[in-house]
Amino acid sequence: MNPIVRSGAAARTGALLVLLGPLVSWGAEFITAAAWQDPPYSPLYNWVSHLGLTGPPQTAFGQVANSPLGAVMNTGWVIYGTLLIIGTFLVFDPRKGARPIIIMSLAVLAGIGVSLVGIFQGSNANVDNGLIAFHTFGAQGVMLAGNIMAIAVGTSGTRIGLARGRSIASTALGTAGLIAFPLFMTDVFTGWMWNIGLFERAVIYPIMIGHALLGSSVAATQRHRATHPLAPLTGRAES
């Protein structure tokens, strides 16, 4: 099959950016959660987005939120979204047909979505002034677009350079995230408030793992091509 990714320095740089995005976000999440001590932050209960709440402690969406380093988390999300968009545009070649265009479009939606989450907090103040709509649009946008992107990447694995196992993993991750999405939304609207942090992470983490798989796989493939430039020619000669 014809590849749908670029080659050379552009693809290698883009792959590293796609890989770096979730790593930056996870690092920011760990630092921010560690600073949240009153009350202690619980990843199985507290919302991920509450880590980005700056300002005084407040009760938002039924949970007590007190994130002293909220700005760190918000910055991590904006960096993640920016790296995802730039990296995807460097990796994929839109001249190769509909598949790369679809993946790039989903990356833009996901990147804008996670950036909006970082820019517009899910605070009581934003609920009152209406800016919560941007936060909600961003969160739901990245949840849907990001998981669909993981499926699109997985089903196009051979044309991207993913090994069979990683292609299956990416598809499975995206599918799991989409299954978890309605459970999370039901939890939000019904007010169950039971392990809501776990539900939210069940939707978000498959996206982040999928991006890490994509970035590391493309980087490895491009590195192999750079160090073995004559391998394809040798294979054709032997055949």
Side-chain angles (χ1 to χ4, degrees):
M1 294 185 178
N2 295 327
I4 59 176
V5 297
R6 303 179 193 273
S7 59
R12 290 194 296 273
T13 301
L16 292 177
L17 294 181
V18 172
L19 172 61
L20 185 60
L23 299 182
V24 168
S25 183
W26 272 320
E29 181 179 338
F30 178 81
I31 293 171
T32 308
W36 179 329
Q37 294 294 329
D38 185 21
Y41 185 82
S42 172
L44 298 183
Y45 174 72
N46 292 109
W47 291 46
V48 178
S49 55
H50 278 15
L51 288 170
L53 291 179
T54 57
Q58 58 186 289
T59 299
F61 294 97
Q63 293 188 359
V64 177
N66 183 12
S67 185
L69 296 183
V72 173
M73 189 70 261
N74 292 328
T75 302
W77 281 325
V78 174
I79 292 175
Y80 182 11
T82 303
L83 292 179
L84 174 62
I85 294 173
I86 296 175
T88 304
F89 271 69
L90 289 174
V91 168
F92 291 92
D93 189 346
R95 299 169 297 181
K96 298 297 184 178
R99 285 178 181 264
I101 293 175
I102 291 173
I103 293 174
M104 293 165 71
S105 299
L106 291 168
V108 169
L109 292 174
I112 291 175
V114 70
S115 296
L116 287 175
V117 170
I119 296 171
F120 298 96
Q121 304 169 25
S123 63
N124 291 324
N126 281 344
V127 171
D128 294 337
N129 61 29
L131 292 178
I132 191 64
F134 291 99
H135 180 90
T136 302
F137 174 81
Q140 295 182 12
V142 67
M143 287 178 176
L144 290 173
N147 282 301
I148 295 173
M149 177 182 172
I151 295 174
V153 167
T155 55
S156 305
T158 56
R159 300 183 64 178
I160 297 174
L162 272 66
R164 177 177 174 80
R166 292 199 171 201
S167 297
I168 295 173
S170 183
T171 303
L173 285 166
T175 302
L178 287 181
I179 292 174
F181 178 75
L183 295 176
F184 166 67
M185 295 304 298
T186 300
D187 196 5
V188 171
F189 287 115
T190 61
W192 287 347
M193 306 307 293
W194 179 79
N195 276 354
I196 196 167
L198 180 60
F199 280 133
E200 192 177 23
R201 283 174 169 81
V203 185
I204 296 173
Y205 280 5
I207 300 170
M208 302 173 72
I209 297 172
H211 290 156
L213 283 176
L214 171 62
S216 60
S217 297
V218 173
T221 300
Q222 293 298 322
R223 183 169 60 250
H224 179 78
R225 290 176 179 175
T227 55
H228 300 83
L230 298 179
L233 295 177
T234 303
R236 284 197 295 268
E238 292 176 353
S239 61

